[in-house]
Amino acid sequence: MEKKNIDWANIGFGYMPTDYRFVANYKDGAWDEGALTTDANITISECAGVLQYAQTCFEGMKAYTTEDGHIVVFRPDLNASRMADSCRRLEMPVFPEDKFVEAIEEVVKANEAFVPPFGSGATLYIRPYMFGSDAVIGVKPANEYQFRVFTTPVGPYFKEGAKPITIRVSDYDRAAPHGTGHIKAGLNYAMSLYPIMEAHRQGFDENMYLDAATRTKVEETGGANFIFITKDGKVVTPKSNSILPSITRRSLMYVAKEYLGLEVEEREVYFDEVKDFAECGLCGTAAVISPVGKIYDHGNEICFPSGMEEMGPVIKKLYDTLTGIQMGHIEAPEGWIKVIK
Ligand SMILES: Cc1ncc(COP(=O)(O)O)c(C=O)c1O
């Protein structure tokens, strides 16, 4: 398969349509078989549930080429089950989890020419999503839905090495205690746009959200979970019912314990104790881990001993081990790497 003529190392993170996408429709209480299409556009009612009441959720993952030339996807079964959770919370029909993984496989295979080569640092981003497609004017769930999966090549997350970022404690809340913070609903991202743009305007890379009820505990950022390293080398991650269960974070905690023999704790993390940690990182599909060097909290700064130049040593070890597993240099736990081709 001849690859597309793309400058893989310099494509950034933007939408570049690929040749095929998967579409399935839900009507009269059942999903159709679904199929690939070359049509990147969608025509729906002006009154579609998604347009009026934001009935939509999505997922995000990557396909990439390993050193031995396979095209693989990392733990897509977890994206399938997280999307099923999102659908249930939004009164949307679940797209069967096995069919979800098959759809991913089908779309990636069909767009093989867009899967960046090994060593480029680029990947093929995969975006499954679902939305209410028929007209609803009263506030209620739609009757018809569309599930789609498109792909788009994205460049390496860290072009010039993983430089630590500076984040601020947000004055806005991300998720209410019994709200929708634990699912990947579009509405969670719509409301995060103002706080993130404001953070950028003030010179910060990201927002640290605290729990909405007490504003004393660390939740997550708009697009990644936190991990912290204690001064004695323990890996700590916030436990909360209102954060998205990051697949990367869950994988890192496993790697920390089972591969690196580190002590791990998933527990409530009070903002007051953040100043005592040695390292801090944000974990998610996009970067695996982005190191955090500094947290700004209303005039006070927390500067981690790992500094602003490079990842701290424990986070670096975690990063190298998980990316090694993803790229096939380190043996993966059973079922983590789905080989597409
Ligand atoms: C709010 C939020 N938290 C965390 C994550 C990281 O999750 P994952 O590791 O599954 O990409 C994401 C990205 O999907 C996100 O949007």
Side-chain angles (χ1 to χ4, degrees), residues 293-311:
K294 201 189 279 185
I295 301 177
Y296 180 85
D297 171 34
H298 303 94
N300 296 318
E301 279 184 353
I302 296 172
C303 298
F304 293 103
S306 49
M308 294 304 292
E309 285 308 309
E310 50 194 33
M311 283 189 177

Side-chain angles (χ1 to χ4, degrees), residues 287-327:
V288 180
I289 312 181
S290 287
V292 175
K294 201 189 279 185
I295 301 177
Y296 180 85
D297 171 34
H298 303 94
N300 296 318
E301 279 184 353
I302 296 172
C303 298
F304 293 103
S306 49
M308 294 304 292
E309 285 308 309
E310 50 194 33
M311 283 189 177
V314 179
I315 283 187
K316 171 102 173 67
K317 229 186 270 177
L318 282 166
Y319 178 86
D320 288 346
T321 311
L322 186 57
T323 52
I325 288 170
Q326 290 177 330
M327 284 301 163

Side-chain angles (χ1 to χ4, degrees), residues 29-63:
W31 285 104
D32 66 16
E33 271 303 298
L36 293 177
T37 170
T38 55
D39 189 355
N41 294 307
I42 299 169
T43 303
I44 47 173
S45 163
E46 62 185 353
C47 197
V50 59
L51 299 178
Q52 303 309 322
Y53 305 121
Q55 201 184 13
T56 179
C57 61
F58 66 101
E59 272 302 323
M61 66 192 100
K62 289 168 165 180

Side-chain angles (χ1 to χ4, degrees), residues 82 174 184 189 220-225 244 246-248 283-285:
R82 192 168 65 185
R174 178 182 171 274
K184 218 162 158 59
Y189 299 84
E220 60 174 327
T221 67
N225 286 178
L244 191 78
S246 157
I247 294 162
T248 315
C283 21
T285 295

